[in-house]
Amino acid sequence: MTNLDLTKPTAELAAQGTPLLEVDDLRVEFRTRSGVVKAVNGVSYSLGAGETLAILGESGSGKSVSAQAIMGILETPPAVISGGGIWFQGRNVLEMSAEDQRRIRGPGISMIFQDALSSLNPVYSVGFQIGEMFRAHRGMSRKAARAKAVELMDRVRIPAAARRVDDYPHQFSGGMRQRVMIAMAIALDPRILIADEPTTALDVTVQAQVMDLLKDLQQETGMGLILITHDLGVVNEVADDVAVMYAGEIVERGTVDDVFSRPSHPYTDGLMSSVPQVEAKGGRLRPIVGQPPNLADIPSGCPFHPRCSHRRLGAEAAPGRECSTDVPPLRLVVPGREAACHYSEEVLGVRAP
Amino acid sequence: MSEPREHGATAASSLSTSSPSTPGTPAPAGPARAGARGAMGESLLEVRGLQKHFPLTQGIVFKRTIGHVRAVDGVDLTLRRGETVGLVGESGCGKSTVSKLIVALERPTAGSILYKGKDVARMGGRALKAYRREVQIIFQDPYASLNPRMTVGDIVAEGWAVHDDVAPRKGRLKRTQELLDRVGLNPDYVNRYPHQFSGGQRQRIGIARALALQPEVIVCDEPVSALDVSVQAQVVNLLEDLQDEFGLSYLFIAHDLSVVRHISDRVAVMYLGSIVEEGTDEQVYASPSHPYTQALLSSVPLHEPHLRGQKDRILLQGDVPSPADPPSGCRFRTRCWKAQDVCAQEAPALVDRGQGHPSACHFAEARMVVPVDVE
């Protein structure tokens, strides 16, 4: 039997100094016939109650895979968690029995996905699907679960919830479907909500509504929020901290204000200058050259070096800091900021101490 | 992979010199853009009152029409030589239907598309063939828009099978390679298949295919939406370079307001099948006067931490009404905070209401919603 206490108030846990979630040196590989794809290569972060951590990265950077590992929904095989640990309220999830892991999903950690239409079951009404959480985890009757579903639909601001509870997913618009999925995710008052590209498929006016809803729900419940996205604007408007991922690694981490105003990793810097802004026409974009790496064949040394404008190769590199051979560790650059680059101080424009 | 900026320049010059100037088909001129930057050239494409209604049918054997989806319902647009017109709107507003109508993949229900003064709907035979060569399209999905069984070389050269006067039969392989080089792909890849390329590279193939026919106008239907941020910027820059080099005119259709502002000279905002506001990028973004434009702009998340929380956010209520049953009068009135009785009775025309640019709102009033970056 599990000794996981999901009833203890989050504030109490925070007082004990235990973060809600700690991911330590997580590694995930996909062993396929054509080789080993290293999707996550040593990712560490922690999340406390009420905090919002954004994981920013492009497609193939390993941001979703790391979240799926936390949720325990990776398909194994082909995926293999080849190292590291995931601690939820001080217990390693990876060492738990399948039954204990299942108990955490829902009241402990829950997740919403990008594509609401393919994440919802088309042959059950939305009320049934939301109520399923209560029936499976709390043993409620169908009737009570349905009443709970209506309540939740109200909470995620679906108009006329009582009338729409028996409707099917295809009868809802994209934004409303996303709300249904959010309702399912928050049904059991999770400690942590992982939102994997929650607004990518939505129009910008709807995106704003959904992000507002998530923020309000977080304020009400004090849950920790992990926001996985590629959208710099969403990160800036919603998150406190940001971890930038590239080729399965975190390459920069800090508060959103710091990282976005003065990036210290060339990749973050490159991302910032590739994106046009709505507030000014701006000059020519400065894209990052080349293509993101193939995760089955990650470049040696710093994975970003083939595309980097700050790289130093061969004789021009400082000893032990040759970009194509020496792997840069994620290190503290200035207080509160970590970056995995040999020459972060240069990127930041700060003199090395 | 090859770096797009580096080896483009040399190939480009050889490309323009080798352009055959066939009579009747004007070859794209390099310096056209120089003049175009200052004062815009003559209008190439004029869209007037364009409508496209798709029938809604019921029944399996005996289909009855029970209504129409008014996908495009009265669109006016002008595209001048050398300029980029951005068309923005949310999904379902009809912007992609406009692009299909313009490249003559669909026939309009009403209204006209004038290309160099001639009505496209009345073109036939040779004239339509020439039109289709001169107005090319780049699609959104670089995975679905390339035939997986054709090599890249065949894809780029396919247009020449129909328009065989554009490239002499003998030098086609060389021209294909020049085109690939120009769009930043390794010319040795002519024999590869689309699946061997990444999304950004595939979009470059799509661009090379459009360029192969030496078009005057390229309709870009969400050309960068499917791409990652860092690759998106590469493609945007490539499109800008090609425009300068070949004097192309773009109709740039997208839902990303930032990208549209970046690339466009003029911007038209579309809602539920019609254009609600039009003007230069400065007019539309800095002093939007239609409530929908204001709401749309205020929803765009900003990237600068110091601008966070500085804009006033307008949250729209409800969803976009169905285009099969649009509201009477002004289409936006069901979600508009300014709506009054007149809005339900009378559809507002897209005219200048004292703001300096046209706006389709009875109560148009400029309002700054996006903070100005003072840096």
Side-chain angles (χ1 to χ4, degrees), chain A residues 58-59 173 176 203-209 212 230-234 236-237 239 256-257 260-261 267 271-272 274-292 306-307 311, chain B residues 1 3 5 90-91 198 201 228-231 233-234 236-237 240-241 255 257-259 261-262 264-265 281 285 295-297 299-305 307-308 311 313 315-316 318-319 335 370-371 373:
Chain A
E58 297 182 284
S59 45
S173 67
M176 286 299 147
D203 279 321
V204 3
T205 53
V206 184
Q207 164 174 305
Q209 293 167 357
D212 272 15
H230 68 275
D231 189 325
L232 296 151
V234 169
N236 181 40
E237 303 246 331
V256 174
D257 284 14
F260 278 33
S261 341
Y267 175 64
L271 272 187
M272 298 295 297
S274 317
V275 187
Q277 296 181 331
V278 77
E279 58 266 28
K281 190 172 185 95
R284 196 178 162 79
L285 300 176
R286 289 184 294 124
I288 304 172
V289 295
Q291 306 289 329
R307 305 175 74 190
R311 69 178 167 212
Chain B
M1 240 316 289
E3 291 174 8
R5 294 294 327 121
E90 296 184 285
S91 48
S198 69
Q201 291 172 322
D228 268 324
V229 190
S230 67
V231 179
Q234 295 172 359
V236 167
N237 280 354
E240 287 181 337
D241 291 343
H255 68 276
L257 290 142
S258 312
V259 173
R261 175 167 205 181
H262 177 82
S264 305
D265 301 305
D281 76 285
Y285 283 75
L296 197 62
L297 284 171
S299 308
V300 180
L302 302 176
H303 305 139
E304 293 289 330
L307 293 175
R308 194 187 306 142
K311 61 179 184 196
R313 177 85 153 266
L315 276 186
L316 285 182
D319 287 318
R335 304 170 78 194
V370 179
D373 198 345

Side-chain angles (χ1 to χ4, degrees), chain B residues 130-176:
Chain B
Y131 174 75
R132 286 189 155 139
R133 181 185 71 73
E134 288 176 37
V135 180
Q136 287 288 311
I137 185 165
I138 303 169
F139 294 99
Q140 167 172 9
D141 187 345
Y143 294 85
S145 59
L146 302 177
N147 186 336
R149 291 161 189 260
M150 285 169 77
T151 64
V152 169
D154 289 342
I155 289 171
V156 173
E158 194 182 12
W160 296 330
V162 178
H163 303 277
D164 56 4
D165 49 342
V166 178
R169 216 165 273 273
K170 273 182 94 176
R172 282 186 184 173
L173 178 64
K174 190 165 160 283
R175 282 248 325 125
T176 308

Side-chain angles (χ1 to χ4, degrees), chain A residues 132-146:
Chain A
E132 202 169 12
M133 302 293 280
F134 297 103
R135 294 195 306 276
H137 283 266
R138 304 247 168 101
M140 275 189 191
S141 70
R142 279 191 177 223
K143 207 174 160 196
R146 186 174 177 279

Side-chain angles (χ1 to χ4, degrees), chain A residues 208-262:
Chain A
Q209 293 167 357
V210 170
M211 288 320 305
D212 272 15
L213 173 68
L214 281 177
K215 266 202 276 191
D216 290 350
L217 289 171
Q218 187 185 23
Q219 252 160 18
E220 276 169 42
T221 61
M223 63 188 174
L225 181 64
I226 296 179
L227 179 72
I228 297 170
T229 183
H230 68 275
D231 189 325
L232 296 151
V234 169
V235 172
N236 181 40
E237 303 246 331
V238 179
D240 310 316
D241 295 310
V242 61
V244 183
M245 281 189 77
Y246 185 80
E249 289 173 32
I250 292 180
V251 294
E252 176 155 18
R253 178 161 57 194
T255 66
V256 174
D257 284 14
D258 285 354
V259 173
F260 278 33
S261 341
R262 290 170 66 219

Side-chain angles (χ1 to χ4, degrees), chain B residues 182-199:
Chain B
R182 182 62 199 90
V183 298
L185 290 170
N186 187 335
D188 298 337
Y189 290 173
V190 278
N191 290 323
R192 294 201 178 188
Y193 288 89
H195 75 265
Q196 294 169 292
F197 294 87
S198 69

Side-chain angles (χ1 to χ4, degrees), chain B residues 219-238:
Chain B
V219 176
C220 309
D221 188 359
E222 302 261 14
V224 295
S225 326
L227 307 179
D228 268 324
V229 190
S230 67
V231 179
Q232 178 177 316
Q234 295 172 359
V235 174
V236 167
N237 280 354
L238 173 66

Side-chain angles (χ1 to χ4, degrees), chain A residues 6-340:
Chain A
L6 287 166
T7 51
K8 200 185 267 185
T10 327
E12 214 170 292
L13 282 163
Q16 291 169 9
T18 331
L20 276 177
L21 180 75
E22 257 193 298
V23 177
D24 182 39
D25 196 33
L26 182 69
R27 289 167 193 278
V28 183
E29 302 175 349
F30 288 84
R31 300 193 178 144
T32 65
R33 221 181 301 172
S34 50
V36 178
V37 176
K38 295 186 168 176
V40 180
N41 304 306
V43 162
S44 310
Y45 52 81
S46 71
L47 182 77
E51 289 177 2
T52 304
L53 170 71
I55 299 182
L56 178 69
E58 297 182 284
S59 45
S61 61
K63 55 192 195 307
S64 294
V65 174
S66 62
Q68 285 165 4
I70 295 168
M71 274 301 278
I73 53 170
L74 274 177
E75 223 170 289
T76 42
V80 179
I81 296 178
S82 53
I86 298 164
W87 278 268
F88 174 70
Q89 295 190 355
R91 280 198 59 198
N92 193 343
V93 177
L94 298 179
E95 286 165 4
M96 281 181 196
S97 66
E99 182 56 24
D100 279 1
Q101 280 196 16
R102 198 185 72 82
R103 251 183 264 262
I104 290 180
R105 268 173 244 147
I109 313 174
S110 69
M111 187 161 175
I112 54 177
F113 303 89
Q114 172 176 351
D115 186 358
L117 190 59
S118 60
S119 310
L120 294 171
N121 191 330
V123 300
Y124 291 107
S125 69
V126 298
F128 182 87
Q129 292 182 61
I130 299 170
E132 202 169 12
M133 302 293 280
F134 297 103
R135 294 195 306 276
H137 283 266
R138 304 247 168 101
M140 275 189 191
S141 70
R142 279 191 177 223
K143 207 174 160 196
R146 186 174 177 279
K148 275 284 205 184
V150 175
E151 209 175 281
L152 273 166
M153 285 169 72
D154 256 334
R155 234 176 114 197
V156 296
R157 301 176 206 149
I158 295 175
R163 192 161 49 82
R164 302 213 68 184
V165 65
D166 295 321
D167 282 356
Y168 289 84
H170 74 268
Q171 292 168 294
F172 289 82
S173 67
M176 286 299 147
R177 272 180 219 139
Q178 203 69 24
R179 284 165 199 262
V180 170
M181 199 154 59
I182 293 172
M184 285 170 73
I186 61 161
L188 302 173
D189 285 319
R191 292 286 158 85
I192 296 169
L193 179 64
I194 303 174
D196 188 359
E197 304 265 11
T199 58
T200 307
L202 305 176
D203 279 321
V204 3
T205 53
V206 184
Q207 164 174 305
Q209 293 167 357
V210 170
M211 288 320 305
D212 272 15
L213 173 68
L214 281 177
K215 266 202 276 191
D216 290 350
L217 289 171
Q218 187 185 23
Q219 252 160 18
E220 276 169 42
T221 61
M223 63 188 174
L225 181 64
I226 296 179
L227 179 72
I228 297 170
T229 183
H230 68 275
D231 189 325
L232 296 151
V234 169
V235 172
N236 181 40
E237 303 246 331
V238 179
D240 310 316
D241 295 310
V242 61
V244 183
M245 281 189 77
Y246 185 80
E249 289 173 32
I250 292 180
V251 294
E252 176 155 18
R253 178 161 57 194
T255 66
V256 174
D257 284 14
D258 285 354
V259 173
F260 278 33
S261 341
R262 290 170 66 219
S264 72
H265 193 283
Y267 175 64
T268 323
D269 190 35
L271 272 187
M272 298 295 297
S273 49
S274 317
V275 187
Q277 296 181 331
V278 77
E279 58 266 28
K281 190 172 185 95
R284 196 178 162 79
L285 300 176
R286 289 184 294 124
I288 304 172
V289 295
Q291 306 289 329
N294 175 358
L295 293 176
D297 184 21
I298 296 176
S300 63
C302 170
F304 187 61
H305 85 265
R307 305 175 74 190
C308 183
S309 54
H310 290 266
R311 69 178 167 212
R312 298 226 183 135
L313 305 175
E316 55 180 11
R321 299 199 286 167
E322 213 277 348
C323 295
S324 67
T325 52
D326 302 317
V327 180
L330 188 65
R331 65 193 172 90
L332 202 66
V333 182
V334 284
R337 181 93 67 92
E338 291 169 288

